Amino acid sequence: EKVLGKCTDKIITINPNLMQFRKETIEYVIMHEFCHLKYKSHCKKFYEIIEKNIKDYKKYEKELEGYQY
């Protein structure tokens, strides 16, 4: 399955396959899902929180291309 993490109805689910990635990438996916507790969509405010906490988040997004989270 290509879904590494999801947040549905305030429940975060992490696919165990995420553990194949580097620690920083795992932390990014977890932060991404936590941000969905506040914002369901990938709106501007959503990415403001991500960038405040993980400055170079775009490099992790690039590493995760082809996966959903």
Side-chain angles (χ1 to χ4, degrees):
E1 187 173 322
K2 290 283 194 176
V3 177
L4 294 175
K6 64 182 176 180
C7 181
T8 309
D9 299 324
K10 306 271 184 208
I11 296 171
I12 294 174
T13 306
I14 300 295
N15 183 327
N17 291 332
L18 180 61
M19 299 307 116
Q20 70 184 323
F21 292 92
R22 297 177 299 130
K23 176 181 173 259
E24 295 82 6
T25 306
I26 294 167
E27 289 172 349
Y28 167 71
V29 172
I30 291 170
M31 169 62 71
H32 185 105
E33 297 310 327
F34 266 93
C35 287
H36 278 307
L37 292 173
K38 186 163 177 110
Y39 299 105
K40 286 190 180 264
S41 70
H42 295 128
C43 61
K44 184 178 179 189
K45 293 277 188 196
F46 174 90
Y47 277 108
E48 284 175 3
I49 294 172
I50 296 266
E51 191 165 22
K52 181 179 176 188
N53 290 281
I54 303 177
K55 302 282 183 234
D56 51 355
Y57 75 93
K58 289 185 180 181
K59 102 174 158 183
Y60 304 114
E61 287 186 342
K62 192 151 194 74
E63 184 178 345
L64 292 163
E65 280 181 2
Y67 290 95
Q68 294 178 10
Y69 49 93

